[in-house]
Amino acid sequence: MSAPAEAPAGPESGTDPRQDAAGSGALEAITAFQAEFSDFGALPATVRHQTRRCLTDLIGVAAAGSRTTLGAIIAAHAADQFAAGARPASILFDPHGRKASAAGAALAGGMTIDAIDAHDGHPLTKGHAGCGLFPALLALAETEAPDMPLEAFLGHLAVGYEIAIRCGIALHATAPDYHTSGAWIAVGIAATGAPILKLDRGAMRHAMGIAEYHGPRSQMMRCIDHPTMVKDGSGWGAMAGVSALMLARSGFTGAPALTIEDPAVADLFTDLGTHWRIGEQYFKPWPVCRWTQPAVEAAFALRRDHALDPADIAAIRVRTFHEATRLAARRPADTEQAQYSLPFPMAAMLVHGRLGVAEISGTGLADAAVLDLAGRIELIGDARFDAVFPAERWAEVEIDQRDGRTIRSAPLTARGDADAPLSDDEITAKYRALMGEAGHADRAGPIERMVMAPGTATVRDLIALVSA
């Protein structure tokens, strides 16, 4: 990974002499961070390992997402509407082997990963950096530097997490609406992709400004209340970030990005390289909204500890934070509604003792026992849990049995948070299960070995395994 070259001052390089000191400091911090950690080997060992875990997890989720209706629609759309041109980029796990422009491949990849809500995230952003970063950076690397060592690509990804997460925290701190991840992913991609395109700092600044202006600041709670395929805006953010880079390279202007240059958030970027936000990432055990997972965790524990028979359940009460109570669909019509539901996946866990893609898609949506139990689940807002959201997400569950007994869980958070992380073995098992369900069990081992261990592989080698 190479750092963006310093540009001479002046309008030709895109440097605005009116830029304030705070904004300048944030830009200096970002460029210095990119320069210091231009070599993947310069990153702390814990960061390198976490980056490998993130990429493995994202690839498994992408494989599963490619099998959904959403994945099929967006792959066809990208191939039809985003012509590949002279520099084609592969569409992740597209069964037809189609290609698109870098922006189109980023769009398809981000939405394909978002199609199965099992990817990693960061609590303070209330969203997900990796699902947009990975396909965008991969498309840029394939079109600009396909022989880039995979270790260098991992370096770009690690740096991207650090910048994008801070952009997400900054945007949530300064915007009054609860927007989707695509809004700030776009800015992070513009910053992180600049070295791949060899943009100077002035052009990078304009790319970040373009990405912020055109990033999808869409309404997350609308999708919570009315779940559809629009999901978390990650694909649109990935497309906006890649397009912003291409435009800035051609001389298009758009600076400043207030997410970075607003003095109110400048301090967020001063600890780059000393405070590693990627270590705060959570990994999901199950393919549903993170807000659902504390309740699912509690249901799993009660079923295990009490040898609970779902037929013996009369009623269930879930106390949790307000936002989670809005995940209220009890009879989901499609996998999107099932993934943004609390009662349905919780009921599936109680009925089947597991929660995978099969339980929240296809024939799993018509499971009579699950539907019946989901109808007996009451969601109750709890001020205790509201007070610590979004940094922490809690739930507790009470189950009334038909014999008159009531069993209760302790208040729980979901496994996979930084303070209760999934082990490497758990992430590997999840990845292999997703690859197998998607029909790619034969690729699981080669990809895992390539990503998780140092080697001589290149971006081209990885693309051969994650495309047709």
Side-chain angles (χ1 to χ4, degrees):
M1 185 176 68
S2 56
E6 286 290 332
E12 293 82 3
S13 67
T15 301
D16 186 344
R18 297 169 297 178
Q19 181 185 329
D20 62 39
S24 177
L27 286 172
E28 290 285 357
I30 288 172
T31 53
F33 174 62
Q34 290 174 321
E36 182 176 358
F37 295 102
S38 60
D39 179 1
F40 186 57
L43 295 164
T46 54
V47 174
R48 296 198 303 272
H49 185 65
Q50 181 79 329
T51 305
R52 295 183 191 279
R53 281 161 49 100
C54 289
L55 182 53
T56 301
D57 193 64
L58 288 165
I59 290 171
V61 178
S66 72
R67 296 296 185 174
T68 64
T69 301
L70 191 167
I73 292 172
I74 198 61
H77 176 77
D80 291 344
Q81 301 299 321
F82 291 79
R87 294 182 173 184
S90 301
I91 297 173
L92 283 174
F93 291 106
D94 178 39
H96 304 290
R98 292 169 294 194
K99 294 181 181 289
S101 66
L107 168 68
M111 293 186 75
T112 296
I113 295 171
D114 242 355
I116 295 292
D117 203 345
H119 44 294
D120 63 353
H122 189 276
L124 296 183
T125 67
K126 295 186 280 188
H128 315 274
C131 70
L133 276 171
F134 164 48
L137 296 180
L138 188 68
L140 289 169
E142 182 178 9
T143 56
E144 302 290 330
D147 293 317
M148 176 191 295
L150 185 59
E151 297 282 293
F153 177 78
L154 284 162
H156 285 293
L157 186 62
V159 166
Y161 268 97
E162 294 304 314
I163 296 172
I165 288 170
R166 285 167 172 80
C167 289
I169 296 171
L171 193 54
H172 279 295
T174 55
D177 58 316
Y178 178 12
H179 42 268
T180 58
S181 299
W184 48 270
I185 284 174
V187 186
I189 289 167
T192 311
I196 299 175
L197 270 64
K198 297 182 170 56
L199 300 187
D200 63 29
R201 191 178 72 184
M204 180 180 76
R205 181 171 180 251
H206 281 298
M208 292 187 295
I210 298 164
E212 180 186 76
Y213 198 84
H214 292 297
R217 198 172 293 187
S218 35
Q219 315 100 303
M220 188 69 243
M221 293 310 297
R222 196 205 84 174
C223 189
I224 295 296
D225 293 336
H226 308 283
T228 63
M229 293 181 183
V230 296
K231 292 293 189 78
D232 200 29
S234 302
W236 226 256
M239 177 190 69
V242 170
S243 296
L245 284 162
M246 301 302 181
L247 287 167
R249 182 165 65 177
S250 298
F252 199 95
T253 60
L258 297 180
T259 304
I260 291 169
E261 299 191 36
D262 187 333
V265 298
D267 287 350
L268 284 171
F269 298 91
T270 59
D271 61 357
L272 280 164
T274 57
H275 179 182
W276 296 94
R277 295 279 185 182
I278 196 172
E280 300 165 353
Q281 288 285 106
Y282 61 74
F283 293 89
K284 295 181 180 179
W286 303 295
V288 293
C289 178
R290 188 61 171 169
W291 300 349
T292 290
Q293 301 211 9
V296 172
E297 189 76 41
F300 178 75
L302 290 173
R303 188 184 195 278
R304 178 196 62 212
D305 296 344
H306 296 272
L308 191 60
D309 184 342
D312 295 334
I313 295 174
I316 300 174
R317 290 174 297 282
V318 178
R319 291 184 172 84
T320 187
F321 52 97
H322 167 75
E323 285 80 0
T325 66
R326 290 168 68 170
L327 299 164
R330 288 170 173 79
R331 303 183 70 85
D334 52 40
T335 186
E336 281 73 38
Q337 291 183 11
Q339 291 173 54
Y340 283 134
S341 163
L342 194 159
F344 186 84
M346 182 181 173
M349 173 61 80
L350 286 166
V351 169
H352 298 293
R354 69 180 299 275
L355 184 59
V357 174
E359 282 70 45
I360 48 91
S361 63
T363 58
L365 300 175
D367 189 305
V370 173
L371 291 168
D372 176 64
L373 187 56
R376 286 180 267 137
I377 297 175
E378 179 185 5
L379 306 181
I380 304 168
D382 193 308
R384 295 173 298 164
F385 304 146
D386 290 340
V388 294
F389 177 79
E392 301 174 28
R393 288 133 300 166
W394 290 80
E396 63 183 7
V397 173
E398 295 179 348
I399 298 180
D400 294 338
Q401 300 186 77
R402 296 192 188 278
D403 62 6
R405 291 180 299 161
T406 296
I407 57 176
R408 297 177 177 85
S409 76
L412 291 176
T413 57
R415 285 183 304 119
D417 283 344
D419 59 354
L422 298 186
S423 68
D424 286 357
D425 287 344
E426 287 177 300
I427 289 178
T428 297
K430 171 190 167 184
Y431 157 77
R432 291 176 181 171
L434 291 172
M435 292 291 288
E437 284 187 278
H440 296 303
D442 58 326
R443 304 187 191 194
I447 292 173
E448 182 184 339
R449 289 188 292 273
M450 184 181 294
V451 171
M452 290 303 298
T456 60
T458 66
V459 164
R460 194 188 302 275
D461 296 325
L462 178 62
I463 288 167
L465 289 171
V466 299
S467 56

